Amino acid sequence: MAISDIISRQYEIAQGNAANIPGLPKFRTYAMCNLRGGIGKTTLSFNLSYLADNLLAVDTCPQGNLSYFYDKNYYASNQTNVRDMILPYLVPGLGKATRVAAFIGATNQYFTEKNNYYIPSSDELYLLPSQLITAINQTSGLQYPQREQALNSILYSLKTEIERELKQNSLDKCIIDTSPFFAGATQLAWYAADALVVPVRTDQQSIKSLELLISTLTNPQSEYRKYLFENDMNVPKIQMVVLTHCGWSTIAGARNVPNQQTKVYLGKVYDILSKHRSLLSTENPDNHLFMLDDFLGSGRISSVEAKPIELLKEGETKTIDRTRVIVNRSVTKCKHQLQYISKQLW
Ligand SMILES: Nc1ncnc2c1ncn2[C@@H]1O[C@H](COP(=O)(O)OP(=O)(O)O)[C@@H](O)[C@H]1O
Ligand SMILES: [Mg+2]
C-alpha cells in the first residue's frame, strides 16, 4: 500500500510537479552516510551542493573524491584541511586552524555563481581513528566534570569547527560527505550532524550496511553511542534514505513500474524504516524514502567533467576511455529527482 504511494509520488517527482512532503522538518547540517562504498554518497553530496546556495561542503573521506570534484588539483595541493581542524582537539599544544573553507567557484568553473565553500579532506585521515581513540582514552584519568568536558570537546570537535566556519563565511547550510569506515572523521561527522541522508544502492550489501548504520545509532554499546553521556540525546535523525541506481520496467506499455530489483529493495528498505520509526525525523516511513534513477552515462560525464548533473544537456557526448558516452534521455528525470531531494532538505 505505502510502497505504491511512494512509487506514484516518484512519478510526480520525475515530472517535476510533486508537492513537498508536509511537515518534514528542515535541518542545517546533514551527514551523507552509509557504511559502504560506491553507493552514491559523494555523487549525491556533489550534486546537492550545487543545488543549494550559502552552503559549506565538508569532505571527511580520506579518499578525497568530493574534494577532487571541487578542485582537479586537489591531490597535488597542500591546503589546510579537515584534519588540521580536528587535530588540535586531539593533540594538546597544536594551534587551531581558522578560515579553512575554500570558495568552490575559485577551482570549479560551474560554481562561480554560488556562494558555496568546501573544506578539503586529507589522505592522512587514515591515521585519525587511532589518534581519536588515544585522545578519548586519555580522558579516562580525569574526574567529573573535567572528564565530561574533555570528552565532549573531542567528540564535538568537528561540530564546533563547522559552526565556526559557517559563521565566519556567513553560510547557513552544511553537507558532510563521509567514508564507508565509521572510525575517525566519519564518527565525528555523525556527532556533528543534525540529521542523516542515507544512500542505499539496490543491492544486498547496501541493505546490510543500512542495518549496520541503524544498529550503530541505536545500540548503547556501539562505537557511536558508547562515549556519549547518558543525558546526551544528540542522536541525529534520519532525514531520508535515497535508493540509488533505480531502474524501471522496459516492458511495452509499462509506465511508472520499477524493475524487479528496484521493487525488491524498495520493499526491504521500507520494512527496515517501518521497524525504526523513532529514528526518522517524522516517524512516518512514507516521508523518508526517495528514489534516484541510475545516472548511466550522465553520471560518468558528470564525474569526469566535475560538472553537476543539473547542467548537463540531453544528447551531449564525451569520449571517456576511448568510448563515446552520451547524456541519456532520462537526465531530465534525474534533475527533477535531485531538485526534489534538495527541496526536502533545505
Ligand atoms: N542514482 C545514482 N546516485 C548516485 N550515484 C549514481 C547513481 N547512478 C549512478 N551512479 C554512479 O555510481 C557511482 C557512485 O559512486 P560514489 O558517489 O563515489 O559512491 P560513494 O561516495 O558512496 O563511495 C558514481 O560513479 C555515480 O556516477
Ligand atoms: Mg565517496
Side-chain angles (χ1 to χ4, degrees), residues 268-280:
K268 289 189 184 203
V269 173
Y270 191 83
D271 287 347
I272 294 173
L273 296 186
S274 304
K275 279 192 211 126
H276 298 279
R277 289 165 184 264
S278 65
L279 297 179
L280 307 172

Side-chain angles (χ1 to χ4, degrees), residues 163-309:
E163 299 288 336
R164 183 186 54 67
E165 288 286 337
L166 286 172
K167 206 185 254 169
Q168 261 181 8
N169 296 288
S170 308
L171 306 172
D172 56 14
K173 305 174 193 74
C174 178
I175 194 153
I176 314 173
D177 189 22
T178 66
S179 93
F181 310 105
F182 181 73
T186 296
Q187 181 167 3
L188 297 179
W190 287 38
Y191 296 123
D194 303 319
L196 308 179
V197 176
V198 185
V200 171
R201 195 174 171 147
T202 52
D203 61 26
Q204 191 53 36
Q205 293 92 321
S206 297
I207 296 294
K208 281 266 161 266
S209 53
L210 175 62
E211 285 168 341
L212 179 60
L213 178 141
I214 285 176
S215 75
T216 307
L217 282 176
T218 52
N219 180 353
Q221 299 309 318
S222 77
E223 272 302 298
Y224 174 77
R225 292 279 300 252
K226 72 180 185 192
Y227 304 113
L228 292 174
F229 293 93
E230 266 167 52
N231 57 359
D232 192 340
M233 288 296 156
N234 194 344
V235 175
K237 294 287 180 188
I238 296 176
Q239 178 78 347
M240 61 173 71
V241 171
V242 182
L243 194 63
T244 63
H245 299 80
C246 289
W248 300 85
S249 171
T250 51
I251 296 167
R255 226 165 121 251
N256 198 28
V257 181
N259 67 22
Q260 195 51 34
Q261 182 177 352
T262 301
K263 210 185 298 173
V264 166
Y265 288 101
L266 199 55
K268 289 189 184 203
V269 173
Y270 191 83
D271 287 347
I272 294 173
L273 296 186
S274 304
K275 279 192 211 126
H276 298 279
R277 289 165 184 264
S278 65
L279 297 179
L280 307 172
S281 57
T282 72
E283 307 209 351
N284 177 358
D286 299 18
N287 294 341
H288 301 278
L289 181 47
F290 301 94
M291 300 162 79
L292 201 46
D293 282 23
D294 193 324
F295 293 153
L296 307 167
S298 306
R300 294 188 62 197
I301 294 180
S302 166
S303 296
V304 167
E305 299 193 340
K307 184 175 181 177
I309 285 179

